[in-house]
Amino acid sequence: MAASDDGARDGDGSGATVRPGSTAVHAPGVLVRVTPWAVVTLGETADEASVLHGTAVDVWNAFARPARVVDVATDLAAGYRSDTEEVLAGVLDVVRRLVDAGALRLVPGGER
Amino acid sequence: MTTTEHDRSFALAVAAHGITARDDARVQPLESVGFDDLLTVALRERMTGLLCRAIDDGAIAASEEQRERARRAHEDALIRDLRLERLLARTSEMLAHEGIAHCALKGPVLARTAYDAPELRSFADVDVLVERDGFDHAIRVLVEGGGTRRFGEPRSGFAARYTKGVCVELTDGCQVDVHVSLAAGPFGLAIPVDELLASPDAVEVGATRVPTLRVEHRFLHACYHAALGDDPPRLVPLRDVAEMARRGLDADAVLAIAARWRGLAVVQRALLLVGATLGVRIPEPLGGWSRSHRPPRVERVALRSSLPSSGGYGRQAAAGLLLLRGARARLRYASALLLPDRAYLDARDGSYLRRWRRAARLALGRRR
């Protein structure tokens, strides 16, 4: 995943404890706008909106239903024909940012 | 065609993109007519979503750099839209908590109900219609939450009874327009707002179910906004009317309600403006009705007084007497206008005599 593709504008997440085995899903109160080139999200309590481009949009879409981070990374790596570990690192970063921004919610007990 | 007309033709092509066969701008290079101007208009008219779609569809020729600028501008618009939607959800929750009957109006609702996708319809503020009895309470709650009420009123309770509403400005620059009617002036006074609040629909905004007007009332409000709001009319309100009309409406129900509101002239003006400005054909039977209807004289007079070019708030206020039903209601209204509170008078006319002279000039049709 190219760094320029998976950035989340205005997101500076660092507090969420997200692991490869964590399960996440779109947060219930998140507000979303979808364009052909970007997804814009605003969590219920977030100070700033997040603008997702490129592969970060794929990550966002993958969590429309509860999914494990590692499973999403594996699927995306297969689709991109990329190294799974490298993609996993990118997915973890995006998920952390989106959890911090209130756009994704970690599912309690979803750690496996 | 002058440069200005040329620029305008691009703006109109954007505003009508996707709902009319007319795409005048398709073959002409955008560089020659000023992309900056088009982007400025798109931002001002809250139609960056339509601009991006028109570029992506090839209806507007644009360089990669221009396409990217349009996209960035639209992303900023969407960020603002979402902040306003969140404000709407919180405002609605707060009003519901206080037991104040209300409905969300305009942008956030139309974006979700009238367009192919909400991304296509941006907005500038939050609008809520509240019951007259709850109006002062609603304003108080918003002000206690950090907002500042803009504009005073002639007498305590005047805004709740006779105006379209007031604007509350929040510390982050966002605004909540609290309405007690759907229009200023005489047409607003003739709308039975309690009926609107008694049978609402709803939209989901995040996790909040926000009450809205039902579809016929939404359409009529879109017509009122397009026909009475600005001169020349803004493009997105016209697009709102066109979008709702093409999605299918119970025309008989719409016109029956408009007749009760004494607002057929307003609906007709809105539909004709859509055709004349955007080149969009209004589906039958509303299209044919708009071309053949002859509104009652009282509505034509009220319409002239209600247009932005008519001379402003004073003339609109005076014209309110036209459509109010009942002598007592008219007397109460005239009394409130002519005998305002001292503080309001001091801030405007200075003395009752000066105010009455101004009222007389308005009544006689003079501006100064």
Side-chain angles (χ1 to χ4, degrees):
Chain A
M1 294 166 87
S4 60
D5 276 346
D6 54 13
R9 266 175 77 198
D10 301 323
D12 184 29
S14 57
T17 305
V18 181
R19 300 188 180 89
S22 300
T23 298
V25 68
H26 293 179
V30 67
L31 298 168
V32 183
R33 289 288 193 268
V34 179
T35 73
W37 69 91
V39 170
V40 185
T41 70
L42 181 65
E44 268 188 311
T45 56
D47 291 331
E48 302 289 342
S50 300
V51 184
L52 311 176
H53 297 106
T55 50
V57 173
D58 296 336
V59 174
W60 168 257
N61 290 335
F63 288 102
R65 293 178 187 172
R68 283 206 312 158
V69 173
V70 66
D71 294 340
V72 167
T74 302
D75 288 349
L76 290 178
Y80 301 152
R81 298 171 189 260
S82 298
D83 177 67
T84 303
E85 288 303 311
E86 192 183 329
V87 172
L88 178 59
V91 172
L92 279 167
D93 181 52
V94 174
V95 171
R96 283 190 188 110
R97 286 166 182 250
L98 290 175
V99 169
D100 282 348
L104 284 181
R105 178 176 68 89
L106 291 177
V107 179
E111 185 89 20
R112 281 189 283 139
Chain B
M1 190 183 278
T2 65
T3 304
T4 305
E5 286 169 340
H6 206 173
D7 292 350
R8 174 83 172 159
S9 79
F10 275 92
L12 292 173
V14 170
H17 177 65
I19 56 171
T20 176
R22 196 185 78 176
D23 269 332
D24 299 339
R26 182 185 298 278
V27 296
Q28 301 175 41
L30 195 60
E31 288 85 352
S32 67
V33 293
F35 179 81
D36 288 352
D37 289 346
L38 180 59
L39 189 54
T40 300
V41 172
L43 284 164
R44 191 178 62 228
E45 294 274 355
R46 318 277 173 200
M47 58 181 196
T48 49
L50 292 170
L51 173 61
C52 289
R53 181 167 281 193
I55 291 173
D56 287 348
D57 290 348
I60 294 285
S63 67
E64 272 310 304
E65 184 261 341
Q66 289 169 341
R67 179 196 301 265
E68 193 55 30
R69 284 178 59 203
R71 287 181 169 186
R72 289 293 164 176
H74 187 42
E75 288 173 8
D76 289 342
L78 292 177
I79 289 170
R80 183 170 174 81
D81 290 348
L82 292 184
R83 295 182 71 87
L84 288 167
E85 277 199 349
R86 187 166 67 181
L87 174 61
L88 170 63
R90 288 175 178 171
T91 301
S92 178
E93 286 170 2
M94 194 174 62
L95 293 173
H97 181 260
E98 296 292 326
I100 300 169
H102 64 282
C103 279
L105 303 172
K106 293 164 67 172
V109 178
L110 295 174
R112 288 167 177 272
T113 58
Y115 283 71
D116 290 342
E119 297 75 45
L120 295 175
R121 199 337 183 152
S122 290
F123 33 91
D125 54 20
V126 163
D127 296 86
V128 289
L129 177 72
V130 301
E131 56 185 332
R132 288 189 195 278
D133 289 346
F135 177 75
D136 290 330
H137 186 184
I139 299 295
R140 200 163 49 245
V141 168
L142 286 168
V143 168
E144 284 170 4
T148 304
R149 176 183 177 150
R150 296 175 65 192
F151 307 120
E153 54 185 341
R155 276 187 195 176
S156 175
F158 184 89
R161 184 177 289 275
Y162 297 121
T163 69
K164 176 180 165 188
V166 302
C167 170
V168 177
E169 201 164 73
L170 305 180
T171 49
D172 62 359
C174 292
Q175 292 182 354
V176 179
D177 286 350
V178 183
H179 298 246
V180 280
S181 188
L182 301 184
F187 292 107
L189 292 172
I191 297 172
V193 172
D194 290 348
E195 283 181 28
L196 314 190
L197 296 167
S199 58
D201 279 345
V203 292
E204 305 290 336
V205 179
T208 306
R209 191 170 168 79
V210 177
T212 69
L213 301 177
R214 66 179 219 237
V215 65
E216 295 87 359
H217 296 157
R218 283 203 299 274
F219 177 71
L220 289 173
H221 185 209
C223 288
Y224 276 58
H225 186 47
L228 306 176
D230 296 276
D231 193 12
R234 296 191 65 168
L235 299 177
V236 164
L238 295 177
R239 171 91 185 206
D240 292 342
V241 173
E243 288 279 4
M244 296 185 79
R246 80 191 185 100
R247 263 154 230 283
L249 288 159
D250 182 341
D252 290 340
V254 164
L255 294 177
I257 296 167
R260 278 198 294 114
W261 293 5
R262 308 178 84 174
L264 289 169
V266 182
V267 177
Q268 181 185 37
R269 175 175 160 80
L271 297 178
L272 293 176
L273 281 171
V274 169
T277 308
L278 298 184
V280 173
R281 186 174 176 79
I282 298 292
E284 300 302 333
L286 282 176
W289 172 85
S290 69
R291 290 186 293 277
S292 62
H293 177 67
R294 177 79 179 151
R297 185 173 179 278
V298 67
E299 287 189 25
R300 295 202 304 272
V301 173
L303 182 59
R304 276 199 299 274
S305 306
S306 300
L307 298 179
S309 56
S310 73
Y313 174 76
R315 184 171 297 275
Q316 269 188 22
L321 288 167
L322 284 172
L323 297 188
L324 269 177
R325 292 183 191 273
R328 183 177 294 180
R330 287 177 184 168
L331 190 63
R332 215 163 38 202
Y333 178 69
S335 158
L337 280 175
L338 294 173
L339 298 169
D341 291 339
R342 192 72 231 182
Y344 184 89
L345 189 72
D346 289 344
R348 285 164 181 78
D349 301 280
S351 75
Y352 286 111
L353 190 59
R354 238 177 260 152
R355 187 169 182 81
W356 297 339
R357 279 187 187 144
R358 188 156 70 93
R361 282 196 300 274
L362 287 170
L364 293 171
R366 294 180 206 146
R367 295 212 175 169
R368 300 197 176 279

